[in-house]
Amino acid sequence: RDLAQALGLPLRTSALDLTAPSYEGPPADLVLMMNVINELPPSADAGLAALLDRAVAPRGVALALEPAAATPSRRALALRDALVAAGWHPRFPCPHAQACPTLAVGDWCHTAWAFDRPAFMAAIDQAVGTRRDLLQATWFAVGRAPVALTPRARVLAEPRREKGRTRARVCLADGSLAHVELQKRDRSPANAAFAGAGLHAGLHFTGGRPAGRDTLRLDRDTDVEVTP
């Protein structure tokens, strides 16, 4: 309520039983689901999809943020796949509208953001010997209206910067998993941006030659753009 008031936005709240949801309010431009999907069984997905059909405006977005650990992450990604199968279109971070390929190999997908800890959290960290200076989550945004998905790939793991190469595991626009690799000898101003790509960065590039079963190797003349 405080945030909505500060932003000058109208706010309407209601309590829902998400195991059998009903919604009678007006459709919204944004529906935010945070730390809730992992609390619900997969049998709730059909009800959640029906709820979002009513609650999200035709050009609105449903945004989910769930814990980054393996089990809750896979649970959230399963709902993402159920929504895509029901006709929803991914907005972020996915570069494709296929089933999530990480689930097919028993993996999961998440990202991390640096943040400034509030004073109370810093005090707790000092007392217990931890340092929580990263926010981590599995997240996705979907909408009913189709959009053009521009990244060629999305970085799924922190790139490995080795002496002779930089290598990143990525999710490709065709719905497959691969590694993108840049050899030291092939570094150039055109592809220099790849060295700074972090977890969940979007990669825009053309070309790249196959180098092994699941690797695309960038050439000296490969133009690489990195976006959020």
Side-chain angles (χ1 to χ4, degrees):
R1 291 189 180 95
D2 290 345
L3 179 60
Q5 184 177 4
L7 295 174
L9 298 175
L11 177 69
R12 179 182 182 273
T13 64
S14 60
L16 298 175
D17 176 1
L18 291 180
T19 61
S22 61
Y23 181 74
E24 304 301 333
D29 293 326
L30 171 66
V31 171
L32 172 63
M33 299 173 286
M34 185 171 181
N35 295 327
V36 63
I37 298 170
N38 71 94
E39 302 286 350
L40 301 172
S43 58
D45 285 357
L48 285 173
L51 168 67
L52 294 175
D53 278 336
R54 298 189 298 273
V56 180
R59 300 196 66 81
V61 171
L63 172 62
L65 294 103
E66 295 292 315
T71 298
S73 175
R74 290 172 182 144
R75 174 70 190 92
L77 294 173
L79 175 62
R80 178 257 183 215
D81 283 1
L83 291 172
V84 170
W88 290 77
H89 299 275
R91 295 288 195 273
F92 298 102
C94 309
H96 61 82
Q98 311 300 319
C100 179
T102 63
L103 294 180
V105 296
D107 207 345
W108 70 98
C109 176
H110 71 282
T111 192
W113 304 269
F115 82 116
D116 293 326
R117 297 172 298 166
F120 81 90
M121 186 177 291
I124 294 173
D125 283 348
Q126 184 176 6
V128 301
T130 58
R131 183 176 179 84
R132 291 167 293 178
D133 51 8
L134 287 177
L135 296 174
Q136 299 186 68
T138 287
W139 69 284
F140 64 84
V142 294
R144 273 299 187 188
V147 294
L149 300 173
T150 55
R152 170 84 181 275
R154 182 73 65 182
V155 178
L156 295 185
E158 194 66 38
R160 295 167 54 190
R161 296 172 177 89
E162 303 169 353
K163 184 176 181 180
R165 66 179 182 177
T166 300
R167 182 175 171 88
R169 186 170 185 249
V170 301
C171 184
L172 292 172
D174 63 4
S176 64
L177 299 175
H179 289 88
V180 173
E181 180 180 280
L182 176 61
Q183 297 279 329
K184 182 179 179 179
R185 64 176 180 271
D186 293 326
R187 293 174 186 170
S188 70
N191 60 41
F194 180 67
L199 177 63
H200 253 200
L203 297 178
H204 305 254
F205 63 93
T206 57
R209 62 185 187 276
R213 184 172 59 88
D214 66 345
T215 299
L216 284 174
R217 184 170 293 165
L218 304 178
D219 298 312
R220 290 187 59 81
D221 58 352
T222 302
D223 289 314
V224 178
E225 179 185 2
V226 177
T227 60

